Amino acid sequence: MLRSDFLWGGAVSAHQLEGAYLEDGKGLSVADVLTAGAHGVSRRITSGVVEGECYPNHGGIDFYHTFEQDIALFAEMGFKCLRTSIAWTRIFPTGIEHKPNEAGLAFYDRLFDCMIAHGIQPVVTLSHFEMPLYLADECGGWLNRVLIDHFTRFARVCLERYHEKVTYWMAFNEINNQHNFSNDVYGWTNSGVKFSKEKDPRRAMLQAAHYQFVASAIVTRIAHEIDPKIKMGCMVAADVVYPLSCHPEDVLLANDAMHSTYYFTDVMVRGAYPNYAKRIHEELSEPLDITNDDLAALTSGTVDYVGFSYYMSNVVDHSAHVDVSDSVSYSDEHMVSNPYLEANEWDWQIDPRGLRYALKAFDERYGLPQFIVENGIGIIETLDENQTVEDDERISFLGEHIKQMKLAVEEDGVDLIGYTVWGCIDLVSFTTGEMRKRYGFIYVDKNDDGTGSGQRFKKKSFDWYQRVIASNGEDL
Ligand code: BG6
């Protein structure tokens, strides 16, 4: 059985649904200069906001103005929690101010109060791909050590203001996304840096990640000082990687590929770099800037739980990419599709057992409580004549994942805090900027080009999830 206080709910992020991108003193964020893309068409990063370009995050789904009605719908489903982020630019428009923007703080008071009034506990990510554009453009993003100070100032303000309303926090969303440094969108959204433009992109990515590790540790320490009941988690995309075969090279390669997750969690959970990081650091063109004070900070601020997103698993085949060196060295070219799995329209392979694998692996490695803070499926959907969507595919996807999650808890002994379904209301896709990649229990009448009434409609999965929550996961 899942624990009686299991946190069922949904997950969203500020920049993907709030809209109101310049309202009440908000500054521009890195997400505000991302154009619309599509499957196979990468989003572009423009230099400032350029007239005539389409920026889906500017309007989001207008949650800034509709949150009361949306939260009421989440409450109707029985949500125990809602994970969202605090847009850094609502609080510090450029990131370098010393005095926070009261109008921004007041908005999150209203939002959190509304949730709490409905019995929904806010779960908060401090930085979900929406750092101030000024810090990226003028300071060089997370390649600049000064970001640690700017971020901790922002975090302290939020922790002091909301600690009585929010228990579960995370510093950085999917901090390990940037390991994919060949695609600039990931470096840009994680760190405000285009790694491909750097002399040694890998080194740059590891440097930015290092400053974030230090910032996350300092913030964790501050959080515990402000309020010992706060739980601070890390948040990674659980990259589950299988070997294509039992060929030893495939197995070694899969092990190496899992570092794209473990390199990040190992530091934040254990408070120190793992042994294998030494080899990774030695291969860089120049040593990383890591001071003794940094190492001490890492040790003093380890996280309370492992938060992660899970969407799919991946497979590596050593023969897919021939490397002339003798050593096994993983690269994206080794990724192949899994012959046993189906995929959604964006080629994300559907693998419920991979969720159990991730839960078991984190448990065996760290023994900490875990929180599944994102899981879901993007589907192209339209309203039918009954003004609803018969989203059986979503019901089946989520039901199968929840079954595996329960096996991890009931059979494998994993300590699990909660489960929040990504995009519980349709919102702007992160990777493509599309609206048509829909994840929600609630359909939002909005199209990729920004047209649509914005009206909300319950999908079939709305009632289904209500039953799942009411039965604490028994009625699937
Ligand atoms: C995660 C992010 O990467 O996956 C979310 O934390 C994102 O911000 C989600 O939206 C799903 O990705 P996408 O590209 O389908 O929106």
Side-chain angles (χ1 to χ4, degrees), residues 165-242:
K165 300 176 185 181
V166 183
T167 302
Y168 289 97
W169 297 77
M170 282 153 270
F172 298 101
N173 183 63
E174 290 187 338
I175 188 171
N176 60 327
N177 258 0
Q178 53 198 336
H179 81 85
N180 186 350
F181 51 82
S182 53
N183 181 337
D184 273 343
V185 170
Y186 296 113
W188 181 249
T189 46
N190 272 132
S191 288
V193 181
K194 296 171 194 158
F195 291 125
S196 72
K197 307 282 185 298
E198 297 294 320
K199 192 167 78 203
D200 181 348
R202 189 174 174 74
R203 181 189 175 283
M205 181 276 287
L206 295 172
Q207 185 65 69
H210 173 71
Y211 292 146
Q212 287 164 4
F213 292 151
V214 174
S216 163
I218 293 174
V219 165
T220 303
R221 187 179 46 71
I222 293 174
H224 291 151
E225 280 163 14
I226 291 175
D227 191 337
K229 80 168 188 328
I230 288 181
K231 303 285 180 208
M232 183 64 76
C234 56
M235 179 353 185
V236 291
D239 277 342
V240 169
V241 186
Y242 304 137

Side-chain angles (χ1 to χ4, degrees), residues 13-69:
S13 77
H15 74 280
Q16 289 173 270
L17 89 170
E18 285 179 4
Y21 82 112
L22 287 179
E23 213 161 308
D24 291 335
K26 181 182 171 296
L28 288 178
S29 81
V30 292
D32 290 322
V33 296
L34 284 178
T35 63
H39 181 34
V41 183
S42 199
R43 301 182 79 176
R44 283 176 297 110
I45 304 160
T46 58
S47 175
V49 173
V50 177
E51 217 185 308
E53 292 280 9
C54 173
Y55 298 103
N57 300 80
H58 288 187
I61 57 161
D62 200 31
F63 182 78
Y64 194 79
H65 301 112
T66 62
F67 73 85
E68 286 173 338
Q69 98 183 52

Side-chain angles (χ1 to χ4, degrees), residues 16 128-129 173-174 311 348 374 422 429-431 437 439:
Q16 289 173 270
H128 191 132
F129 307 162
N173 183 63
E174 290 187 338
Y311 291 90
W348 292 21
E374 286 184 29
W422 173 256
S429 155
F430 157 55
T431 49
K437 191 176 187 187
Y439 283 87

